Amino acid sequence: MRWPLRGSCPQFCSSASSAYAIVMGTSHEEPMMRAEKEWTGGHHGKWDYSTNQAEIDQFWREGMERDRNYEEVVTLGMRGQADTPMSDTANTELLEGIVRNQREILKQTVNPDLSKVPQVWALYKEVQGYYEKGMRVPDDVTLLWSDDNWGDLRRLPTTDERKRSGGAGIYYHFDYVGGPRSYKWLNTIPIAKIREQMHLALEYGADRLWVVNVGDGKPMEFPIEFFLSYARTPQRWDEDHLDEFTKLWATREFGPDHADEIASAMEDYTRYNGRRKPELIDSSTFSLTNYHEADRVEAEWHMLAERVDKLAAEMPEDQRASYFELIQYPVDACANLNEMYIAAARNAADARIGNPKANVEADEVRTLFARDAELSDEYNHKLMNGKWDHMMDQTHIGYTFWNEPPANAMPPVSWIQVPEAGALGISSGDATPERSGQRFAWTLGTIDSVSRETRTLTLFNRGRTPVPYTAETSAPWIVASESQGTVGADEQKIVIHVDWSKVPSDSAEGNVTVRSSDALHMTYQVRALRLPITRANATGFIESNGYVAIEAADTSRRTADGEIHWDELPGYGETHSAVTVFPVTAESNTNSHASLAYTIYLYDAGDFQMQATLAPTLNFVPGRGLRFAVSVDDGPRTLVDALEHNAQQDWEQAVSNGVRRISIPLTFAKPGYHTLRIWAVDPGLVLERIVVSHGPLRPSYLGPPESFHFPG
């Protein structure tokens, strides 16, 4: 294992002037420079210090005698075999005794002055629990704090801990085998996330030693380089210069002609992968019906893959192999995977309603599944005449529990029988059921005069014989793009919009009815709302169809409290960017004046819900939560702790989703303009999005797209 270094620290370099070094070490589970397989491959007895101390001590002594003349960092402590916790009977007294004995071996084999022997105690998983229960090691031993295996730091040094002579470091992950899902295939860690978390480590004094678990190094070249570069010169790569890092990397690798395009592709690919790891995606991830989510995700990946494939043809011959490894394969393979699962979801939905398109979609899934194998084959066997054979053998399709499937398994699909007789079917992602008396009616929601949205009905034929139809509106202000037609083998779309010159009042209701020759008819309600504001004079975010969705960085105003302020993290998060509090070491303050203000316009008054989308940051400061406050207009603040519910299940959901979502009830006394404020309380909190809704949001993974808005 190679250990990145910050600065020229004598404890970890052969001399204070060393600029670079390769310092060897062993992992958190392999103390005293001995590999686990050296134990399991021999005849040493049980890996249990309470019953086999002499054999284990001798094993460690041999390791240090063998490696004493190398530049290295020695791992202390002990875990169970195969990277597992020690036995249930392990106690603090036993573990402290193990460390004492290990240090005595170091005195006898390496140097009597242990301050000259770099040592580290990895506080990984349950080992952190030993520390929290009171176990301590001598001050000259570096405490290696860990993330949660998903890129979120579990703990950082307190003020007193920063005084230790051994200092502290971080063990970070780009790759992981374990729950809630192993992720090992391709890079899923955007550098904006790495920088945000490692900046916390830097500012809280965990800067003696940084280690990153990369699994297979081949797909991780880019984040590895950033991790090392940031460790070396963190002041160079602040949140506003990460795009420059990517462009400089692309320029070095591929020259200046296409550097901007390649850098953009790298940024988009890692951000899309970061919002949900490929191993966690399945047919249910993205909503087919709500907010056109699946369509939006598919379009993003499709456009990215088109850009990357087009550029591949323009690359010089001597750069095509590296371009395929670093850019084209990851983008094409991940785009293909997302499109395959979305096609499988459409197949299931269309099969349920008898849409013959299900058969086309089933074939599409099969084609995309085969293409995944073709892409892997090109990487393994055709690229550079098979130089990287087996590098892309990692299974990544068909997970059913935390660990990898034994082989990639295509998502299940359905084919349907298509009758000769035609029958009209209608679907719409814009339509939702709404209770009307004792029954449900379909509604297309509210269309307002500022956002001026449209609604779409998709007509399909359940059989082979063409079916005529008519589309009628109940009022002249409801305009349908088609009034009649015939549906054959292809779907047809009817787009609904409002003619505002014919709306008789500020609020009007009507419906659209589609009829066919087979006696089917479907009626969809629609409401038009003329707002007292116009596009010419509107400011802020305008409610649309029951919600206001806001990207956190798109503030109307911001206020600071001395040096404490909110600032944007460009490119961070699921959708656009994020904001966080600087400096990250600021004291917690429930009465802070540092705020984010958003001007919003609401149709209605009454009870609303605010959903805050946050990064899955942990409470890395002992005894503190991860709090912020919310207020409406000049009303009182509501204090919110993002980690109020932080059981194992909550954590698993947060890391799987890549975000934590918190709901806060709000009350608005009247319709119209309001100011929503988010107040800083605890530094470290990262806010990505806000959605204020009148009633529950429709289920989706990413949430509704950002609402129509104006400056101010």
Side-chain angles (χ1 to χ4, degrees), residues 58-367:
Q58 181 59 27
F59 177 71
W60 287 338
R61 183 181 300 276
E62 291 169 358
M64 296 316 307
E65 289 173 342
R66 176 185 63 187
D67 291 2
R68 60 185 297 172
N69 294 321
Y70 293 100
E71 193 167 23
E72 59 197 15
V73 178
V74 181
T75 298
L76 302 182
M78 187 176 182
R79 292 193 82 212
Q81 281 190 278
D83 201 10
T84 61
M86 290 179 66
S87 67
D88 293 337
T89 58
N91 55 58
T92 297
E93 184 178 352
L94 172 65
L95 292 165
E96 288 179 340
I98 290 172
V99 172
R100 281 195 302 272
N101 293 345
Q102 288 171 333
R103 283 168 62 85
E104 187 61 33
I105 292 171
L106 292 179
K107 286 181 181 179
Q108 296 169 8
T109 59
V110 181
N111 195 319
D113 183 356
L114 288 181
S115 67
K116 292 182 169 58
V117 182
Q119 304 153 69
V120 63
W121 184 34
L123 301 172
Y124 181 64
K125 287 191 173 180
E126 82 287 344
V127 182
Q128 182 178 326
Y130 302 151
Y131 183 90
E132 291 168 349
K133 292 175 181 176
M135 179 178 172
R136 292 295 181 266
V137 294
D139 271 13
D140 62 327
V141 177
T142 299
L143 299 180
L144 192 71
W145 300 100
S146 174
D147 69 353
D148 61 353
N149 303 309
W150 292 71
D152 309 297
L153 301 183
R154 298 170 65 193
R155 174 80 145 72
L156 287 171
T158 63
T159 301
D160 287 341
E161 288 165 348
R162 289 172 219 164
K163 300 174 184 176
R164 299 178 69 260
S165 61
I170 294 296
Y171 175 40
Y172 203 71
H173 284 77
F174 292 168
D175 169 288
Y176 180 59
V177 178
R181 184 67 54 86
S182 298
Y183 60 95
K184 301 191 290 181
W185 178 36
L186 291 169
N187 177 29
T188 61
I189 312 291
I191 63 172
K193 169 79 171 185
I194 300 169
R195 193 269 168 191
E196 180 263 331
Q197 285 290 292
M198 298 313 292
H199 177 67
L200 292 175
L202 180 68
E203 294 300 306
Y204 279 81
D207 60 358
R208 180 60 57 86
L209 177 67
W210 288 0
V211 183
V212 62
N213 182 335
V214 301
D216 291 334
K218 198 77 192 101
M220 305 295 180
E221 298 96 333
F222 180 68
I224 289 171
E225 180 164 342
F226 177 76
F227 188 88
L228 295 171
S229 298
Y230 186 69
R232 186 72 191 161
T233 54
Q235 67 281 359
R236 174 70 176 86
W237 304 116
D238 63 22
E239 67 274 9
D240 295 322
H241 290 87
L242 299 185
D243 59 339
E244 182 185 355
F245 179 90
T246 310
K247 288 176 184 176
L248 288 171
W249 171 85
T251 301
R252 187 196 66 202
E253 295 296 329
F254 301 104
D257 292 347
H258 302 294
D260 286 352
E261 298 164 89
I262 292 172
S264 174
M266 177 62 81
E267 290 168 348
D268 288 346
Y269 144 66
T270 49
R271 181 160 57 87
Y272 297 165
N273 259 4
R275 64 192 174 195
R276 191 168 184 89
K277 299 182 187 301
E279 292 87 344
L280 279 157
I281 293 175
D282 59 31
S283 302
S284 66
T285 299
F286 302 112
S287 175
L288 297 177
T289 56
N290 297 332
Y291 313 119
H292 302 279
E293 180 174 65
D295 293 339
R296 290 188 287 127
V297 170
E298 182 182 46
E300 287 174 339
W301 276 112
H302 184 72
M303 287 188 291
L304 176 58
E306 276 194 338
R307 284 161 44 201
V308 165
D309 291 346
K310 180 181 177 182
L311 186 55
E314 301 175 20
M315 299 297 294
E317 186 64 34
D318 62 351
Q319 293 181 357
R320 289 188 180 181
S322 56
Y323 180 80
F324 182 81
E325 292 174 55
L326 293 168
I327 303 296
Q328 191 175 13
Y329 173 80
V331 168
D332 283 354
C334 291
N336 187 79
L337 179 141
N338 278 266
E339 291 175 19
M340 178 189 66
Y341 278 124
I342 290 171
R346 289 181 180 135
N347 165 260
D350 284 335
R352 282 195 298 271
I353 62 175
N355 187 345
K357 194 176 179 181
N359 295 340
V360 176
E361 291 156 343
D363 291 338
E364 181 184 2
V365 172
R366 188 164 55 182
T367 299

Side-chain angles (χ1 to χ4, degrees), residues 505-585:
S505 59
D506 289 343
S507 179
E509 295 184 359
N511 53 64
V512 179
T513 302
V514 180
R515 292 185 171 86
S516 69
S517 58
D518 63 353
L520 171 82
H521 78 274
M522 287 287 292
T523 298
Y524 298 87
Q525 299 171 350
V526 62
R527 178 190 180 205
L529 183 63
R530 192 192 309 276
L531 300 179
I533 56 175
T534 67
R535 288 194 172 206
N537 63 21
T539 59
F541 289 82
I542 312 303
E543 178 184 346
S544 177
N545 203 24
Y547 68 85
V548 176
I550 304 168
E551 296 292 342
D554 292 340
T555 52
S556 303
R557 292 172 303 283
R558 301 182 194 183
T559 58
D561 188 348
E563 66 172 350
I564 300 171
H565 64 284
W566 294 86
D567 209 350
E568 184 175 5
L569 301 175
Y572 188 104
E574 289 190 333
T575 50
H576 175 65
S577 68
V579 292
T580 192
V581 177
F582 289 99
V584 295
T585 53

